[in-house]
Amino acid sequence: MSAYHPLTEAEAIEYARRLPDLFHAESELVSREIGDGNLNLVFHISEPSTGRSIILKQALPYAKVVGESWPLTLDRARIESEALMIQESLCPDLVPHVHVYEPDLALTVMQDLSDHVIMRRGLIEGNRYPLFAGHIGRFLAHTLFYTSDLGLNQQEKKERVKRFINPELCKITEDLIFDDPYTDSPNNNVPPAIRDAVGAVWGDGELHLEVAILRQKFLTSAQALLHGDLHTGSIFITQESTKVIDPEFAYYGPMGFDIGAVFANLLLNFAAQEGWSADEASRRDFRAYLTGTIRDTWNNFEREFRRLWDAHGVDRMSRTAGYQDYYMRTLLQDTFGFTGAKMVRRVHGLAQVADINSLTDEAAKERAQRIALSIGTTLIKFNRQASSIEQLIEIADKAVQ
Amino acid sequence: MSAYHPLTEAEAIEYARRLPDLFHAESELVSREIGDGNLNLVFHISEPSTGRSIILKQALPYAKVVGESWPLTLDRARIESEALMIQESLCPDLVPHVHVYEPDLALTVMQDLSDHVIMRRGLIEGNRYPLFAGHIGRFLAHTLFYTSDLGLNQQEKKERVKRFINPELCKITEDLIFDDPYTDSPNNNVPPAIRDAVGAVWGDGELHLEVAILRQKFLTSAQALLHGDLHTGSIFITQESTKVIDPEFAYYGPMGFDIGAVFANLLLNFAAQEGWSADEASRRDFRAYLTGTIRDTWNNFEREFRRLWDAHGVDRMSRTAGYQDYYMRTLLQDTFGFTGAKMVRRVHGLAQVADINSLTDEAAKERAQRIALSIGTTLIKFNRQASSIEQLIEIADKAVQ
């Protein structure tokens, strides 16, 4: 079973049974394949007699998106499992535990999180997660600080950069986030109702300049090991627990890209409240919860990142007076820009979000799309002037006034 | 002879004789070891009967600097030979031809350039090189453009970044250029006569902030494949020919670092004219030649870089209106900063330059050191406001008024 081939359910069970210290040797094991089959096989293996369960995630050598299939390296399974293990070493409570990574099979055996829900789904259902801002702020602070030149020996960091060179997955981001949405590309999926607003995006030179600058940062700025795809569909959540999953896009990039992914997806849900909230009062209230979560996330992140810097910085020059403030302000500015870029691509790009697309009231959906585009483009154009997280919240609030 | 060991002269001759198409099988060959023995063995192998000759350069597994010896990876020989071959593919006339790279021996067989002189030596002797600005401007434009995301497929570029991860050599730069000179480090070599000026550098918080920002760019900005050590001691020259050698510090970094290395070393010679020029008129004249060379180099570089961008850019987003101007201005600003950083470290850091240090008139040497420090620190502090190469020349001229 060591040469690569997609596992059958029987093989997945057989593999799981041979793992040490997980299941009883003689137990009956049950497998359910719960992946969407587009990128990975995901087997949920459980032992009914004890209630124990694990996940086997196996990369497939191709990706299927909207019917098309293209080859995709199995090396992303290594990148994902190594990123998970680094994240686990830094925030053990915030990622699934990796039991085993099996390179020949592109297979990762990890903790089952079936008791959690995908955060995007939870938000669509109107749930609130009061611990999330603290959890994700800490996740961002620790994973970004300790993989950067600030918190990691600079020579070790370079070896990490090498291990996380991730051309194929980065190309998806470069095209779908930083290129296609700004031109009439066949990869776009333009909702007919907002054709006018999308046309304005395609014709906005000031916007394109900022996107080009953000794209350059994505291409060249090896600041920290990013998750690389940190939207609310990559977060498993409960009232008490937050688990960040699926870091197959991990690579060394600009820190603001991860923070912006979180904010963008909270703001897409903010826009989608046009359709989800029952009335104006509850809409205002849920939106205030979402912007409050953004504020708390940034503030928790910033406080913890500065604390780590002061207590555990490894670079003498990084203790230069004024440098930390300069760095945090640049990081905030990047966060504004990447938040905007991650929003715009979800309105009329190839891959969109259920927050907006599962709205059944067409008028509400259109309003949500226009709000998301407006917030996204405003953040992108404003990014290099940003000086406070409150400005991001003001921009969002203003778009729904 | 395939396992690594430092070659003897007899072995070097034997190795050269077996290379195809270089020497006659029966000829007498003569070897001279012409390296300084600190980092590499360099054998000059010649065939007196024909006048043919080649260079065998072999990396040693250690570095010796001011008496100390520390281990150094042989992988730098691979990096050097691969960088040379990439540069040769882009500007065949501006680097030595590589005949063979032999990984097991960390050995590169390359074109003999004994008919050239080291440019630092040539400038100290008062020679002028009217073609240099055109040559080096083209070298910089082609090597930086075609290895960046502007001129190279972005996925191929990422594989290049991986091949040129160069932790040990980068660490030398990070310490000796971006750290030690700004604090009372034992690695410094402070000339007693300028102890006051060096003390001012150590106490200048505004300066340190800019150096910290430049250091971050060196650590994180993977813009292009740099030569990494492009001072006038890495350039062989004649009136007609320019050959850039020794790219063992090559890695993916900020473009301005290479351009700044050239300018810094021209300006160190500019400062050293305190001692080299016979009188005030010839001093003014040679300095005008040096600043003219900087102006022409930048202008040639910028014109050619923009031409390549317009004609051969591979990235749709890079053709966004305004982006090229933004990019070139940022690049100019980086160039100011790195020029300054490369000057300061040569005044009181570990490794200094013969332009200044071989002056025998102590008063002239002191004046040269103070001028170099003044230009260097001013450029560093001004870097983020720079908008024209003329400002760099004004800063230099003002320091000697």
Side-chain angles (χ1 to χ4, degrees), chain B residues 124-233:
Chain B
I124 288 173
E125 289 169 1
N127 297 308
R128 303 182 189 206
Y129 301 98
L131 301 186
F132 173 71
H135 287 159
I136 202 74
R138 178 161 54 86
F139 176 84
L140 291 165
H142 284 249
T143 61
L144 298 179
F145 178 82
Y146 279 114
T147 62
S148 78
D149 290 300
L150 299 167
L152 179 65
N153 170 280
Q154 291 91 43
Q155 276 48 60
E156 222 173 301
K157 179 224 168 186
K158 290 175 178 65
E159 299 296 347
R160 288 261 181 100
V161 172
K162 192 199 266 187
R163 290 195 73 78
F164 288 97
I165 293 285
N166 197 351
E168 287 191 10
L169 282 290
C170 282
K171 179 159 175 59
I172 295 174
T173 303
E174 287 154 23
D175 291 350
L176 298 192
I177 298 185
F178 294 110
D179 187 342
D180 295 327
Y182 303 96
T183 188
D184 188 0
S185 159
N187 290 336
N188 290 328
N189 193 1
V190 180
I194 61 160
R195 181 63 184 71
D196 60 315
V198 172
V201 166
W202 293 345
D204 188 339
E206 184 194 347
L207 182 71
H208 298 180
L209 175 58
E210 296 302 327
V211 173
I213 294 170
L214 290 164
R215 187 175 201 269
Q216 194 212 349
K217 285 188 186 170
F218 186 84
L219 288 167
T220 65
S221 177
Q223 262 186 329
L225 180 61
L226 305 189
H227 178 283
D229 194 29
L230 194 46
H231 57 79
T232 46

Side-chain angles (χ1 to χ4, degrees), chain B residues 26-301:
Chain B
E26 308 300 314
S27 284
E28 183 204 5
L29 296 182
V30 176
S31 168
R32 266 184 313 135
E33 206 284 297
I34 57 174
D36 58 7
N38 282 344
L39 284 160
N40 303 291
L41 294 173
V42 182
F43 300 97
H44 177 272
I45 311 279
S46 60
E47 183 179 48
S49 62
T50 60
R52 282 195 200 137
S53 56
I54 54 167
I55 294 293
L56 268 60
K57 179 172 178 179
Q58 185 182 33
L60 292 167
Y62 52 79
K64 275 194 215 149
V65 180
V66 287
E68 273 193 277
S69 177
W70 70 77
L72 205 55
T73 173
L74 294 173
D75 189 47
R76 70 187 196 278
R78 176 190 64 78
I79 285 178
E80 175 172 351
S81 66
E82 289 190 6
L84 272 176
M85 288 185 267
I86 289 171
Q87 292 160 353
E88 186 176 0
S89 74
L90 299 171
C91 338
D93 57 323
L94 300 177
V95 291
H97 173 61
V98 173
H99 294 288
V100 176
Y101 166 60
E102 178 86 34
D104 292 337
L105 290 169
L107 180 72
T108 306
V109 181
M110 66 182 108
Q111 183 183 358
D112 175 27
L113 298 170
S114 305
D115 55 333
H116 290 59
V117 298
I118 288 291
M119 187 176 183
R120 188 183 306 287
R121 177 55 40 204
L123 290 176
I124 288 173
E125 289 169 1
N127 297 308
R128 303 182 189 206
Y129 301 98
L131 301 186
F132 173 71
H135 287 159
I136 202 74
R138 178 161 54 86
F139 176 84
L140 291 165
H142 284 249
T143 61
L144 298 179
F145 178 82
Y146 279 114
T147 62
S148 78
D149 290 300
L150 299 167
L152 179 65
N153 170 280
Q154 291 91 43
Q155 276 48 60
E156 222 173 301
K157 179 224 168 186
K158 290 175 178 65
E159 299 296 347
R160 288 261 181 100
V161 172
K162 192 199 266 187
R163 290 195 73 78
F164 288 97
I165 293 285
N166 197 351
E168 287 191 10
L169 282 290
C170 282
K171 179 159 175 59
I172 295 174
T173 303
E174 287 154 23
D175 291 350
L176 298 192
I177 298 185
F178 294 110
D179 187 342
D180 295 327
Y182 303 96
T183 188
D184 188 0
S185 159
N187 290 336
N188 290 328
N189 193 1
V190 180
I194 61 160
R195 181 63 184 71
D196 60 315
V198 172
V201 166
W202 293 345
D204 188 339
E206 184 194 347
L207 182 71
H208 298 180
L209 175 58
E210 296 302 327
V211 173
I213 294 170
L214 290 164
R215 187 175 201 269
Q216 194 212 349
K217 285 188 186 170
F218 186 84
L219 288 167
T220 65
S221 177
Q223 262 186 329
L225 180 61
L226 305 189
H227 178 283
D229 194 29
L230 194 46
H231 57 79
T232 46
S234 297
I235 298 169
F236 264 128
I237 201 158
T238 70
Q239 289 301 307
E240 296 79 31
S241 167
T242 303
K243 300 278 188 183
V244 176
I245 62 168
D246 289 354
E248 56 200 329
F249 284 75
Y251 88 112
Y252 263 82
M255 297 181 181
F257 188 77
D258 266 5
I259 311 172
V262 175
F263 292 176
N265 283 274
L266 294 173
L267 290 175
L268 289 162
N269 188 275
F270 175 101
Q273 292 307 317
E274 288 301 310
W276 296 114
S277 293
D279 55 42
E280 191 51 38
S282 66
R283 179 174 301 127
R284 245 200 310 270
D285 194 54
F286 201 77
R287 281 180 170 156
Y289 156 68
L290 291 168
T291 52
T293 300
I294 289 175
R295 176 186 294 114
D296 293 347
T297 297
W298 176 264
N299 289 337
N300 287 327
F301 162 75

Side-chain angles (χ1 to χ4, degrees), chain A residues 149 155 157-159 167 171 174 178-179 215-216 219-220 222-223 315-317 323 326 384, chain B residues 149 155 157-159 167 171 174 178-179 215-216 219-220 222-223 315-317 323 326 384:
Chain A
D149 290 299
Q155 276 48 59
K157 179 226 169 185
K158 290 176 179 63
E159 299 295 347
K171 178 159 175 60
E174 288 154 24
F178 294 110
D179 188 342
R215 186 174 201 269
Q216 194 211 350
L219 288 167
T220 65
Q223 262 185 329
D315 182 9
R316 194 192 74 81
M317 287 303 288
Y323 180 59
Y326 168 87
R384 287 190 287 157
Chain B
D149 290 300
Q155 276 48 60
K157 179 224 168 186
K158 290 175 178 65
E159 299 296 347
K171 179 159 175 59
E174 287 154 23
F178 294 110
D179 187 342
R215 187 175 201 269
Q216 194 212 349
L219 288 167
T220 65
Q223 262 186 329
D315 182 9
R316 195 193 73 81
M317 286 303 288
Y323 181 58
Y326 167 87
R384 287 190 287 156

